[in-house]
Amino acid sequence: MSAPRTDPQRDGELVSATRALLARPWRTVESDPDLVALVRRHTEALDAWFTQELAYRLVVTADTARLVKTGHVPPDRPLRTVSANPRPFTSAEYTALALVLAATTSGPDRTSLRDLVNAVHSAAAEAGIVLDTDAASRRALVTALRWLIAQGMVRELDRGVATYEHDADADALLEVRQDRTALLPTGAVVGAEDPDELVARARERGSGPTSVRRRLVEDPVVLAGDLDAARFGELRRRAADEARRLEARTGLVLEARAEGFAALDVDGGCSDVAFPTGGTLPHAALLLVSELVYQFRPEDDPDPIPWASVREVLDELVAEHGRYWSKGALADRDRFAADVLALLVSVRLVEVAHDGAVRVLAPAARYAPEVTVADDEAEDEQPTLL
């Protein structure tokens, strides 16, 4: 009796599907037909790995794949608007999104925009939320609807929602995919008194090793201070085993240093934020962190850098390189500075204190410029300054 034949492509397909779902946990057949088909083909194996290794849950339907992530809530992964220049949702837009979901949970599959707006206001009144009908409130509602449309949860059948932003009497015919909107919430909200309690609930799942593994997968860097001493010591002891487990299924290469660990995404296919890369904000962020390392020598003086000093460095970079950067991005200098710092925070190169002071983290040393000084009398020797 011959041994059963195995699919030679299975391992590679599992790695591809795992990486794709980690980077973008919501996939639909309209936007990712090949990936949804791949996930459906390996649902059982994928679900088992996500459950056992990360305590995540994979939900797969005929046309949707949804990886429900719980146990670790990164503070810098906001929803982003559907626009030419996506930005994080505002609190008003998050509120509008929650109200739309509440209004459509048990409603009809097809509805008019006017009826939906009325249902949203009813849901707001039931929740004790004062919802105006001014232009700002309409804009927030349109932003939420456009996000739902982009995710395939709502479809415009006749006319569009965009006109409502400027015309309170505008109408449209919409189809609501309630089977998909039901997959969006990730945690129980009954009895929660405030947002902090919801976040605390989301962080409760999983054993010690599982919770640490989630941090390695979800965060670009896990520093010693991110974990308690016992857990960090355990991770150090189990680093070789964790490296094998992660690389075998995700392709991430675990790198250990005295300051912490990084799971390196060599080809970028598993990351939702690429750095360094092209574009105004990434270019400015790269130059800024390099200058902060070079000018302030954080390895010698680990104290936070005052915001005024950071802003001065950034303004000097704008003066030198601004002609190559987007005029739109530079139109609001305060917003530009905040966006540059937010990018550096998201990739764990800096931390920003409540007073705005910036602490440069150890991984930033990777981006320190190596300045050499040539000596005319000894041209073969070029000592670095760092």
Side-chain angles (χ1 to χ4, degrees), residues 173-202:
L173 179 61
L174 306 175
E175 179 185 55
V176 180
R177 285 289 303 271
Q178 294 186 28
D179 58 329
R180 285 179 173 172
T181 58
L183 299 177
L184 187 58
T186 61
V189 298
V190 177
E193 297 295 332
D194 53 48
D196 290 337
E197 184 175 347
L198 287 178
V199 173
R201 289 182 184 182

Side-chain angles (χ1 to χ4, degrees), residues 19 23 220 250-254 262-273:
R19 288 166 58 82
T250 68
L252 298 174
V253 179
L254 190 64
L264 304 180
D265 184 18
V266 179
D267 65 7
C270 197
S271 301
D272 56 344
V273 176

Side-chain angles (χ1 to χ4, degrees), residues 20-21 24-40 59-67 147-154 177 179-181 183-184:
L21 288 170
R24 287 176 45 211
W26 178 272
R27 304 287 184 147
T28 65
V29 73
E30 296 93 335
S31 59
D32 297 289
D34 294 338
L35 180 62
V36 172
L38 186 64
V39 172
R40 283 175 55 81
V59 181
V60 181
T61 67
D63 59 5
T64 309
R66 162 74 157 126
L67 180 61
W147 186 86
L148 290 168
I149 291 168
Q151 309 307 315
M153 299 181 210
V154 174
R177 285 289 303 271
D179 58 329
R180 285 179 173 172
T181 58
L183 299 177
L184 187 58

